[in-house]
Amino acid sequence: MKELQLKNNKVLVVGAGKSGLAAARALANKGAQVTLCDTKPREAMNVPEDFAERGIEIYGGGYPELLEHAFQEVVMSPGVPLTVAPAQSALEEGIKITGELELAFQISKAPFIAITGTNGKTTTTSLMGAILEEAGWDPLVGGNIGSPLVEEVESLSAHQWVVAEVSSFQLETVQRFHPKVAMILNITPDHLDRHGTMEEYSAIKRRIYAKQGADDITVLNGDDPLLKPFISSCPGQVYTFSTKGIVERGAFFDGEQICFVSSAGTLSLLKVKDMQIRGLHNIENAMAASTAALALGIAPATVIEALKKFRPVEHRMEPAGVVADVTYVNDSKGTNPDAAIKAIESYEQPIVLIAGGKNKGSDFSQLAEVISKKVKAVILVGEATSAIKKALLAQGYNDDAIVEVQDFAKTVQKSAEFAEPGDVVLLSPACASWDMFPSYEVRGRLFKSLVQELKAEKNL
């Protein structure tokens, strides 16, 4: 039985974002003596009014000394790297470090289905939740998507399920985290500005299944060369999915339909043309979710029905409107080159691409190669503009088809100047949003509003 023993423990929560605020409240509810700190000054921390009633102390403008205040545990927000002073001090002094995901797991009576990977997490998590809803399993869907889990899990029963999108940042601080189902969708270069090397990034992803047992389920992308070595280290039952060939146990795509292989034989699930989500990457997402569901014993008919009903999630290959017979697509969650490549390759039509933002240590050469074959014009914005342009020019891409803008509000208007009837204008930035926006959601919603403004203008 998981049980948090926190009564009167002195706990420092580092970072006053959504996860930090949720963790502080949950810890206080469990009887801990909580201090919430952030580098922002106290007046800029947007602390909820109930924190004073709960006895949560606020420390703004930096970090308190751990030993001076006798903290027994440090809870890190996922957006705060382990290189900051309180984390380093905790490591040196042997003080426990944990995170919001670990807290949620230890509080929850409900079992976890945890989904990670460089790309596809949000769609697969949402799809997994939709399948469980269809099956009547009453899931809580959250984690790196939506509200922090620790806010919600305390009210769950052991008969419910948590479907959690899990990032590498969250996995850095897990200890006992033990999902009933762990999925790794893919591993491609991302967040190297934080993790340093691909070896370290991959090692952190392995933590999602490290504490599993023999009765647990691990779902891996059988086509990903970086994941193949993981198979032998999984303690649980391994299922794979593939778009390139038949698998021993799991799901595969035969070019027309998704099939599932188990000890009972091969089952044809559904033709991909019957799904509302498009692109090879979404076929992979559907295979991952359906594999987990079928491995858990959910009826094939239920899985099929959920796959047919499921619509694209916001900011992930989301239709944003049609203006003058040009289709506008919001893929603001495409925050690394591999995600942008997958989005570009989902279309047969000519594409005008909007890209750029904050580079997370990515190499844009492969993206530039795909752009040179599939994209008629590129609108660049944000800090990574020069790096992406340099990669494009190295591929021999036409300089006249590259437009640099300083203001994101001009991206849609500039795209419309290049787009012709039948084309696709695709926002798939290949970069984080943090240079210009607080989140990819804010960026995506601005894009959608700009499309609607263009539509209104064209209809005048």
Side-chain angles (χ1 to χ4, degrees):
M1 179 70 181
K2 300 173 295 179
E3 188 59 46
L4 275 180
Q5 302 296 332
L6 288 167
K7 189 76 173 172
N8 296 322
N9 273 17
K10 291 199 71 175
V11 182
L12 177 67
V13 178
V14 182
K18 281 195 306 185
S19 291
L21 295 174
R25 183 181 281 112
L27 288 161
N29 288 347
K30 290 291 183 182
Q33 297 177 36
V34 181
T35 298
L36 174 69
C37 69
D38 199 285
T39 53
K40 291 182 290 192
R42 179 175 178 140
E43 57 271 19
M45 286 172 67
N46 199 24
V47 176
E49 292 179 5
D50 66 318
F51 273 31
E53 300 166 18
R54 297 172 187 274
I56 298 172
E57 294 187 19
I58 308 300
Y59 191 103
Y63 307 119
E65 289 291 332
L66 298 193
L67 296 182
E68 182 182 327
H69 293 269
F71 290 114
Q72 297 161 280
E73 183 171 349
V74 175
V75 175
M76 301 295 297
S77 297
V80 182
L82 297 181
T83 53
V84 299
Q88 289 298 302
S89 180
L91 289 169
E92 290 167 9
E93 302 296 337
I95 297 170
K96 181 181 177 184
I97 298 177
T98 189
E100 184 263 334
L101 175 65
E102 179 71 21
L103 285 176
F105 171 74
Q106 292 189 32
I107 290 169
S108 176
K109 295 184 180 70
F112 273 60
I113 298 170
I115 299 156
T116 197
T118 306
N119 297 306
K121 296 186 296 294
T122 299
T123 296
T124 306
T125 301
S126 301
L127 184 48
M128 192 76 225
I131 294 172
L132 266 59
E133 284 280 3
E134 189 73 27
W137 284 24
D138 195 17
L140 166 66
V141 180
N144 199 43
I145 172 178
S147 300
L149 289 170
V150 77
E151 288 185 338
E152 312 281 351
V153 295
E154 196 162 14
S155 62
L156 299 182
S157 75
H159 301 291
Q160 293 176 273
W161 286 79
V162 177
V163 183
E165 177 183 326
V166 176
S167 71
S168 60
F169 294 178
Q170 291 168 310
L171 288 171
E172 280 185 316
T173 51
V174 296
Q175 296 152 359
R176 295 163 54 195
F177 184 58
H178 174 177
K180 175 63 183 172
V181 179
M183 291 189 223
I184 308 181
L185 304 176
N186 45 62
I187 296 182
T188 60
D190 197 19
H191 299 302
L192 299 186
D193 54 342
R194 174 149 165 176
H195 300 309
T197 66
M198 281 297 293
E199 289 76 18
E200 179 63 17
Y201 181 47
S202 297
I204 289 168
K205 291 294 190 185
R206 286 176 186 258
R207 296 183 187 182
I208 197 169
Y209 63 72
K211 299 295 184 183
Q212 285 189 308
D215 294 332
D216 297 320
I217 295 162
T218 309
V219 180
L220 300 174
N221 184 338
D223 297 334
D224 191 321
L226 290 179
L227 290 178
K228 287 181 180 176
F230 286 28
I231 294 174
S232 60
S233 67
C234 290
Q237 303 169 36
V238 179
Y239 291 75
T240 60
F241 59 91
S242 174
T243 62
K244 296 179 179 178
I246 298 171
V247 299
E248 289 184 21
R249 180 166 63 174
F252 68 92
F253 175 53
D254 68 2
E256 183 178 352
Q257 61 187 349
I258 293 172
C259 304
F260 180 74
V261 182
S262 68
S263 57
T266 300
L267 169 71
S268 297
L269 276 179
L270 85 165
K271 291 181 169 60
V272 297
K273 67 179 180 61
D274 294 330
M275 297 193 302
Q276 298 182 60
I277 51 177
R278 293 284 177 261
L280 191 63
H281 62 294
N282 275 325
I283 295 172
E284 292 178 336
N285 297 336
M287 287 194 295
S290 56
T291 294
L294 293 166
L296 285 169
I298 294 176
T302 301
V303 175
I304 292 166
E305 188 63 21
L307 290 174
K308 286 181 177 178
K309 288 179 180 176
F310 187 76
R311 297 175 61 82
V313 299
E314 189 178 18
H315 312 300
R316 197 70 184 100
M317 304 288 287
E318 176 195 15
V322 178
V323 183
D325 203 28
V326 173
T327 301
Y328 290 78
V329 178
N330 170 27
D331 192 45
S332 183
K333 201 175 189 306
T335 59
N336 58 65
D338 189 62
I341 288 169
K342 285 183 167 68
I344 291 165
E345 290 179 338
S346 297
Y347 295 97
E348 295 297 328
Q349 305 99 305
I351 295 169
V352 177
L353 178 69
I354 300 171
K358 180 174 175 57
N359 185 6
K360 297 182 286 182
S362 299
D363 179 351
F364 296 107
S365 56
Q366 189 178 358
L367 173 63
E369 185 179 346
V370 173
I371 288 173
S372 67
K373 296 173 183 173
K374 303 266 297 182
V375 175
K376 67 188 290 185
V378 182
I379 314 301
L380 295 176
V381 65
E383 285 181 10
T385 290
S386 59
I388 299 174
K389 184 174 182 178
K390 182 179 179 181
L392 287 170
L393 295 176
Q395 285 290 332
Y397 196 74
N398 183 2
D399 193 11
D400 293 337
I402 303 172
V403 177
E404 301 175 50
V405 297
Q406 301 302 313
D407 184 353
F408 190 90
K410 296 178 181 176
T411 56
V412 169
Q413 193 73 48
K414 282 294 180 184
S415 300
E417 293 175 13
F418 283 89
E420 300 174 291
D423 290 356
V424 171
V425 171
L426 173 64
L427 168 66
S428 194
C431 297
S433 59
W434 309 319
D435 57 337
M436 303 178 81
F437 301 96
S439 68
Y440 71 82
E441 293 98 334
V442 175
R443 177 172 63 188
R445 286 173 191 140
L446 176 56
F447 173 76
K448 290 191 288 185
S449 70
L450 293 170
V451 172
Q452 292 309 307
E453 287 175 17
L454 181 67
K455 191 171 188 177
E457 177 188 314
K458 296 289 185 183
N459 286 338
L460 290 176

